[in-house]
Each structure stands twice: as structure tokens, then as C-alpha cells.
Amino acid sequence: MTAINAVTDLTTQDGIAVLTVNSPPVNALSAAVRQGVLAGIETAGKDPSVQAIVLTCAGRTFIAGADITEFGKPMVEPSLHAVIKGIEASPKLVVAAIHGTALGGGLETALGCHYRVAVPSAKLGLPEVKLGLLPGAGGTQRLPRVVGAAQALEMVTSGTPVGARQAAERGLVDALAPEDGLLAFAVEYAREAVADGKPLRKIRDMNVQAEPGLFDTFRKANARKFRGYEAPERNIQCIEAAVSQPFDEGEQTERRLFMELMTGTQSAAQRHLFFAEREAQKIPGLPKGTVVRQIRKVGIIGAGTMGGGISMNFLSAGYAVTIVEANEKALERGVGIMRGNYENTAKKGRLTQEQVERNMGLLTASMAFEDLAECDLVIEAVFENMQIKKEIFGRLDQIVRQGAILASNTSYLDIDEIAASTKRPQDVCGMHFFSPANVMRLLEVVKGEHTAPDVLETVMQLSRRIGKVAVVAGVCHGFIGNRMLEPRQREANKLILEGAMPWDVDRVIYDFGFPMGPFQMADLAGLDIGWSAETSKGVTLRDQLCERDRRGQKTRSGFYDYNEKREQTPSPIVEELILRASAERQIKRRRIDDQEILERCIYTMINEGARILEEGKAYRASDIDMVWLTGYGFPAYRGGPMFYADTVGTRHVVERLRAYQASSETDFAPSDYLLKVAEEGRGFSSGK
Ligand code: 3H9
């Protein structure tokens, strides 16, 4: 074996050279990998004893893409283009042997090879769009030449990889290898290809056509999904170029559009989120050698919407779940809804009937707390009442085995107070799921004053296993997400009294990139959450709407009127109520422009985020961004509220808050931490 460099090896046996990339964790195409692969291909190419070359990777995966950490830094030769060109032009037949994930630049490298073999579990894709990019090393030009323009469009704009079997059906993979015999298979494949006189097939020389109207139809069909994002459109333009331009020209188009995206804010935001997601899992200062607790059996208290949704996460991931509910009817209904949800998913073809039965088979429904005794983790998901929660935790303390983790799904309440009702506060934490809990990716893991490090780490690892993005939050009212939602809600409500209408506020927030505005959200959730006719004082706008049975989408009226298709129109009744409310409060209504709406709603959130950092209730600014991305629909292309603050400038945020401070001293007072960051002329992401 010859080491080409620290991350690539070359061996030759009986005329077949095996070039192995070994650059953990994911064999990303760093400068060293690029240099090694090109040198290896050239060396083997010149070796007269070599008849063919197999390109393979050590470790858990084939090349998973360009090295994202190198983006934005000066390029070190050779470029990925040059590497792929070198492979494609090699005088020796090159076969890519793929396992794990061939993604982005990794798949582009494989597309430069003359043939591709893969194990059935491998996945192949061009996920650049998720980073606000497009495949910039010939991927948009080669992929459609193999799978056709329509499939290529789908793959580059969704970024979703395809499995090796599907890839084989589409011609992207030439042969499937046995799961545990990839290299031997690839070597044999290469040997036979040479013996059979197979050509050195260059994808660049293949033709591609598109059916008429393909691109326009595709754009129209996906307009809503792509709203606000720059990358999908540029990806489409590249596939168009593949169809309408010769290969080299198409590659130039790709290069130009790639650079445009790469240097733009959107891609920077999306790359930031890629790393933020991975960073969020890490607990700073976690004692070395922390051993996580074993979680096999999970208990859930409460079979309502939350309890049911939380249970489904665990059942789907293969955990045994015991769900306990005091009311028999509610228990039956809850279990029925869970089955119904699974059945619906099965109807859509996303689950087999066996999987439905397997999941439901893992569930035990009970009315006895005692049945939770042997659980390794118990999550309480009853309604928000401190007294009830304390009673429940007191009982759990008596019943559940020592060493189990006791968690509350509270969205606002003080975890420390809840923990104090047990004799084991070190085992207590918050696990705040977002509704619908089986769908939403976010999980706020609330660290109490006494929560043990191994408890926290166990819950973080477990979250990943059930497909959640977990973010650690400290104990404070509303934790990270809901705490920051509060100022936005406050400003939205003030704005409509001062002169805007709900639909003005919603339009601005929607145009910013959120899926909906605060009033649309309120209508969707139901205006009567936490409201009752008996206690209504008829003072707030919400009281007045609920009293008129305008309770949101479910009653087909709330802030908006809704038709049977749930399409909304502004309500004249609401308009009148708002005008009256302003008059009663002696507020002289004025014209409020979009900029003011945006700044007051978003900058006050940023300010609260800064306060959260100042108080140490979040480990890092990027954790806050993850919360808003995965829990509240903050547009990914803006990178989350704290990253967004950096892009508009923290100084600017301070200035604008100060400008509004004349109207309210407290609501807009910049926090000390925001002031500090702004004064130092930096952003949140580059600090803390
Ligand atoms: C591209 O290719 C552009 C080209 O078209 C054009 C060029 C001219 N770079 O996710 P994990 C790190 S764009 C650098 O936890 P998993 C990651 O940060 C790229 N680092 O593992 C983490 O580090 P840490 C297109 C990377 O098993 C560690 O590896 N490719 C990269 O759950 C483990 O990652 C993509 O977008 C990278 N490309 O999932 C693929 N990838 O341990 C992006 C990962 O310090 N990657 N790291 O936190 C993935 O989707 C997943 O990482 C993968 C493995 C599925 C591969």
C-alpha cells in the first residue's frame, strides 16, 4: 500500500488500483482529499500495470460533499473541478464504490467516474440547495444526462437523496453490490469491464433533452415551496442550461450561479444553520467520560394531544411506551387518535400496515401510575397547572425506580419548583415538545438548577434518536421560544391599536418568510385557548372575539373570516372592533408602514434573545436560531433571529430600538448584552 498523502492510499493488485479516501468523519473534500484523489488518479493512470481504478472510501461513508468549513476561505488547488476532470479524462477505467452517503461534491466526484457501483443501503444525492447552494462541480450538468431533466430537477431542488436501488433503476448506479462485500465486488466489476472492453463512459458526452414546458410547469408547481429562497431557482436555471447549452458552456453557467449563491447572505445563513444544528447537541463543560443512562421503557402521563404526539415519537423509534391517563374515555380516545394518525400515514404509503401494528404493539395504555414503576424515563404531559404537576412529580418520586429520568412537558412553568416536589431533583428536567409533537422537529430540553449532567446528555442523545432537534434552555418563563414570542405578540397587539390592521401585520411577517403571521397563527390555534365565557371581562380584543363566537378557523371566523376552503378574508367586524378599541383607549390611530411593523416585531425578539444569552438561559446564539427555525418557521434563508441581527447589523438593531423607545421606555430598551455586542462592532454568531 502506498500512502498518497495523509488521507488517501493507493494499492494495486492484479491490475486493479484501489484508491481509498480516509478522512473522517465523512470524507469531505478538503484540500488534502482533493490533492490525494487527483494525485492517486494520475499515478494509477500512468502505471502501465494498472488496467482500471476503483475509488472507494474508508469509514462510515463515501465522500459526503465539499468541505463546508472551507467555504468563504481562499481556494487551495486543485479545485474540485480539476479533480473530477482528471478522473473523467483518466486513460484508465474508473469505478466509484459507494457506501453510506454520496452527497454533493461526493456524488459529483462519482459522476466523474466512468461507472458507479453501490451497496443497497447507500444514498446518493445533491443536497446543496439545503445549504442555499447548487452543485458547483458539474453536478447540475452531469446528473440530468444520466437520470433525465425531470428527475434531476426534483433531486437538485429538493436536495433529498435517493436510495441505491432507486438510483440503479434510474441509471445513476450501474450495479448493486452485496452489503458487506463492496470493495471485492467493485474490483471484480472493474476487471470484467476491462475484459468486456467496456468504454470509458464520460457523462459529459451524453445527450439530454427535456419535454416542452417542463421548467415552467415545475416552477409554477413549486412556487409556494420555494418562496423567498434564491437557490431553487438557480438550480432550475442550471438544469435548463444542461439541456440548452453544450457541456462546457453549461458548466460555466453553473460556476457563475454557484459563485453568486456562495457569496450571498442566504447561503451563509443556511450554512450557519447546518452547523448550528450539530452544535446544539453539544453540552459545554460536560464532564469527560459521562455515561448516559439506558432508556428502554418510556412512560407518558396524559393522553391528550401532547401526550399522544409525544408517545408516537417513541413508538416510531421502537421504544416501549406506557401511557397513563386518569380518565378512561380520554385514554381510549387518545390511543384511538394515535392509531388513526398511523393509519393515515400508512394510507399515504409512508408506513406499512406491519409497521403500524409494530408501533401500536409497543404501546401499553393504563390508568394506574404504578405501571410506570419500571420506566427509564417518564414524561408528564398534563395541562399547565403547577399544583397538579407538583402532585404528579411527588407521586412519581414514590413509584418510579431510582435512576429513572423524570421530565415535564411544561411550556412555561418553573422546572426547579416541579423538581423540588421530589427527593431527586438531579433526575428532573423539562422536555418541551411543540405541537403537533409527532411532527415538529424542535425539542427544548430544560436544564433545572439541579439537573445532573448525565441526565441532560441522555436526553440530548435520546432526542436525536427520536428525530428531534434538541436545544438546551435554562429555567425562565417560556424558555427560549415562547419567551421570545411574547414581545412579538405584544408588539403585534399594540400595532393594531395604534393604526395597523391584523392583515397588515400578517402580510409583513409572511413576506419576511414566516409561514404565517401572528393573527393567522392565533386563528389557527384557536382564540379560546385559555379563555372561558365565565371569566371573560370583554376588555381585550380576544375576549370580544370569543364572546361573539369568533374563535378562529374552527368557527370559520376569528381575526379573519374563512370560507369552506379555509381561505381567509379580512373581517369588517374585526376592523370595527379594532377602531372602537383604539378610540376607547384614546389612541389616535396613524398610518404605520411595513418597516415599522417588521422592526417592532422582529427587533424586540432579537432583544429578548440577547437577554436570554445575557442570563445564560441559552448556551449560544445559534441555539436560539435553531429554536426559531425548527419550532416557529423562521425562514431558513435568514438564518434565525440572531443570525439575522448580524446580517442587518447589531448597531442598526440598537438604533432602531432606540428610535421606538420614545413610545415606550420599557418595551424597546436595548438589553445590556445587545448594547455590548453592538458597541464592540460584532454580531452574535461571532461572539459567545
Ligand atoms: C458541496 O458539496 C458543494 C459542491 O457541489 C461544490 C463545490 C465546488 N463538510 O451530520 P453529522 C461534519 S456542499 C464539513 O453529525 P451524520 C459535521 O459538521 C456539501 N464537515 O453525521 C459533523 O462535525 P462535528 C454537500 C462536515 O452521520 C460531522 O461531520 N454535502 C460535512 O448524522 C458529522 O456529521 C452536504 O450537504 C461537510 N460536507 O450524517 C452533506 N458534512 O462532529 C452534509 C458533515 O464536529 N452532511 N460534516 O459536529 C450531511 O448531510 C451529514 O453530515 C451526513 C452524515 C449525512 C453526511
Side-chain angles (χ1 to χ4, degrees):
M1 184 157 74
T2 324
I4 298 280
N5 64 10
V7 291
T8 40
D9 296 320
L10 188 66
T11 52
T12 305
Q13 215 177 8
D14 300 334
I16 307 296
V18 175
L19 178 57
T20 308
V21 178
N22 188 358
S23 181
V26 296
N27 292 312
L29 289 153
S30 60
V33 171
R34 294 196 304 273
Q35 284 156 3
V37 171
L38 187 57
I41 290 285
E42 282 171 354
T43 306
K46 285 187 207 134
D47 183 342
S49 74
V50 170
Q51 295 179 320
I53 305 164
V54 170
L55 174 64
T56 188
C57 289
R60 65 193 209 218
T61 179
F62 191 77
I63 301 164
D67 187 338
I68 311 172
T69 58
E70 283 185 357
F71 288 180
K73 298 178 188 157
M75 218 276 292
V76 179
E77 296 291 341
S79 70
L80 185 53
H81 262 104
V83 175
I84 294 172
K85 219 171 167 178
I87 295 173
E88 199 170 46
S90 169
K92 307 289 164 66
L93 183 138
V94 186
V95 177
I98 300 169
H99 75 294
T101 44
L103 298 178
L107 180 54
E108 292 177 296
T109 304
L111 285 166
C113 298
H114 305 120
Y115 296 93
R116 284 155 297 283
V117 300
V119 291
S121 62
K123 289 199 167 78
L124 299 88
L126 294 173
E128 284 85 346
V129 72
K130 293 185 180 164
L131 299 169
L133 292 171
L134 54 86
T140 64
Q141 304 306 296
R142 287 193 182 85
L143 185 67
R145 285 175 160 80
V146 180
V147 301
Q151 302 274 11
L153 262 185
E154 184 58 41
M155 282 179 73
V156 296
T157 57
S158 72
T160 311
V162 294
R165 285 184 202 284
Q166 210 181 349
E169 282 162 22
R170 296 178 183 181
L172 185 54
V173 162
D174 297 292
L176 288 173
E179 200 62 58
D180 52 3
L182 176 64
L183 187 57
F185 180 90
V187 167
E188 209 36 49
Y189 185 92
R191 198 185 305 285
E192 275 177 27
V194 173
D196 295 349
K198 276 198 179 176
L200 305 190
R201 194 181 55 191
K202 294 180 184 164
I203 294 175
R204 56 174 289 133
D205 295 337
M206 291 161 69
N207 284 326
V208 55
Q209 281 159 2
E211 57 202 71
L214 171 73
F215 296 104
D216 284 348
T217 314
F218 188 80
R219 281 191 175 94
K220 277 198 198 104
N222 291 287
R224 207 181 153 79
K225 197 162 105 198
F226 298 157
R227 179 176 73 95
Y229 288 89
E230 287 163 4
E233 173 55 28
R234 302 291 188 282
N235 272 279
I236 297 173
Q237 287 170 11
C238 285
I239 306 291
E240 271 179 321
V243 171
S244 62
Q245 296 174 351
F247 186 86
D248 287 334
E249 235 174 84
E251 257 202 336
Q252 276 170 25
T253 303
E254 180 192 84
R255 191 86 213 129
R256 178 171 52 79
L257 296 177
F258 177 83
M259 287 317 291
E260 239 178 78
L261 291 176
M262 169 67 106
T263 49
T265 310
Q266 288 205 351
S267 176
Q270 289 177 260
R271 282 172 355 236
H272 159 75
L273 290 171
F274 175 85
F275 289 113
E277 181 172 342
R278 281 145 187 87
E279 198 63 20
Q281 295 163 17
K282 296 171 190 158
I283 300 170
L286 184 75
K288 271 223 158 61
T290 300
V291 180
V292 294
R293 300 188 187 184
Q294 282 266 1
I295 306 290
R296 289 192 202 92
K297 284 177 96 177
V298 179
I300 310 284
I301 303 174
T305 317
M306 278 321 274
I310 296 171
S311 301
M312 287 178 72
N313 285 302
F314 289 99
L315 295 173
S316 304
Y319 289 88
V321 173
T322 301
I323 190 163
V324 173
E325 164 69 60
N327 177 312
E328 193 174 353
K329 282 236 162 62
L331 183 61
E332 257 175 46
R333 202 182 51 224
V335 172
I337 290 174
M338 283 156 70
R339 174 171 279 282
N341 284 342
Y342 278 134
E343 303 266 352
N344 278 339
T345 313
K347 266 187 213 137
K348 287 180 200 148
R350 283 192 271 126
L351 216 57
T352 64
Q353 196 56 39
E354 292 82 71
Q355 283 169 319
V356 174
E357 297 311 327
R358 189 212 66 164
N359 293 352
M360 289 307 288
L362 289 168
L363 181 70
T364 308
S366 163
M367 291 179 60
F369 259 58
E370 286 67 27
D371 288 344
L372 298 172
E374 290 309 309
C375 285
D376 307 304
L377 162 71
V378 178
I379 305 172
E380 162 278 310
V382 305
F383 56 89
E384 293 286 64
N385 178 309
M386 181 55 100
Q387 206 43 47
I388 294 179
K389 289 191 195 263
K390 281 164 90 169
E391 274 168 39
I392 288 178
F393 274 75
R395 281 182 74 187
L396 288 177
D397 194 22
Q398 305 290 318
I399 292 167
V400 184
R401 69 166 188 80
Q402 290 300 319
I405 298 174
L406 308 179
S408 171
N409 176 50
T410 181
S411 20
Y412 287 96
L413 299 175
D414 184 340
I415 293 291
D416 291 330
E417 199 180 332
I418 295 175
S421 59
T422 72
K423 285 193 225 53
R424 36 174 142 165
Q426 74 281 0
D427 295 340
V428 178
C429 68
M431 284 178 80
H432 178 212
F433 288 83
F434 288 69
S435 189
N438 53 323
V439 177
M440 297 294 288
R441 287 173 71 215
L442 177 62
L443 176 63
E444 280 181 331
V445 176
V446 188
K447 175 180 177 290
E449 198 192 335
H450 301 291
T451 306
D454 67 329
V455 167
L456 203 58
E457 179 62 9
T458 304
V459 174
M460 294 305 281
Q461 289 192 16
L462 181 68
S463 311
R464 211 175 169 199
R465 228 162 276 145
I466 60 169
K468 298 288 168 201
V469 172
V471 174
V472 177
V475 176
C476 58
H477 187 75
F479 312 127
I480 297 173
N482 284 343
R483 175 168 166 181
M484 285 168 72
L485 188 64
E486 237 166 57
R488 190 183 91 172
Q489 211 58 38
R490 179 195 68 217
E491 288 311 310
N493 289 329
K494 277 164 57 188
L495 282 160
I496 61 172
L497 289 174
E498 290 171 32
M501 280 292 153
W503 27 97
D504 299 324
V505 178
D506 284 346
R507 177 179 43 76
V508 170
I509 298 298
Y510 177 82
D511 286 348
F512 181 76
F514 277 96
M516 62 183 93
F519 298 102
Q520 290 162 322
M521 198 166 98
D523 271 1
L524 182 67
L527 300 181
D528 55 354
I529 295 180
W531 179 88
S532 81
E534 295 76 45
T535 53
S536 176
K537 295 195 179 74
V539 185
T540 65
L541 202 54
R542 180 177 86 149
D543 285 350
Q544 294 172 5
L545 291 172
C546 287
E547 282 170 13
R548 284 167 177 75
D549 209 31
R550 300 186 65 93
R551 297 177 185 220
Q553 282 202 19
K554 59 186 168 191
T555 56
R556 287 226 199 128
S557 62
F559 284 102
Y560 295 85
D561 292 325
Y562 296 88
N563 65 16
E564 56 289 346
K565 286 195 221 148
R566 297 213 165 190
E567 288 161 345
Q568 64 189 37
T569 39
S571 158
I573 300 174
V574 171
E575 185 159 352
E576 201 188 303
L577 284 175
I578 291 173
L579 295 181
R580 203 189 306 155
S582 303
E584 279 165 9
R585 289 165 179 75
Q586 285 159 2
I587 297 171
K588 194 163 172 293
R589 292 180 68 84
R590 63 188 169 87
R591 209 193 141 270
I592 296 182
D593 61 23
D594 290 358
Q595 186 191 346
E596 178 172 348
I597 293 175
L598 187 73
E599 289 175 348
R600 283 176 54 180
C601 288
I602 306 287
Y603 291 4
T604 49
M605 262 175 58
I606 293 167
N607 197 23
E608 196 61 38
R611 237 174 244 133
I612 287 172
L613 288 170
E614 188 176 328
E615 293 169 19
K617 303 296 182 191
Y619 287 141
R620 25 183 119 74
S622 63
D623 282 4
I624 297 180
D625 290 335
M626 277 323 287
V627 165
W628 274 81
L629 173 82
T630 53
Y632 299 82
F634 200 96
Y637 58 83
R638 297 197 194 272
M642 309 318 279
F643 185 89
Y644 177 67
D646 294 357
T647 61
V648 296
T650 44
R651 263 197 199 141
H652 170 77
V653 175
V654 169
E655 274 164 24
R656 297 308 301 152
L657 285 171
R658 288 234 159 97
Y660 297 116
Q661 225 176 335
S663 71
S664 163
E665 187 54 44
T666 52
D667 292 350
F668 300 104
S671 70
D672 289 345
Y673 186 57
L674 174 60
L675 285 174
K676 180 168 171 281
V677 169
E679 267 158 30
E680 289 169 10
R682 63 184 176 99
F684 292 105
S685 297
S686 51
K688 209 130 174 150

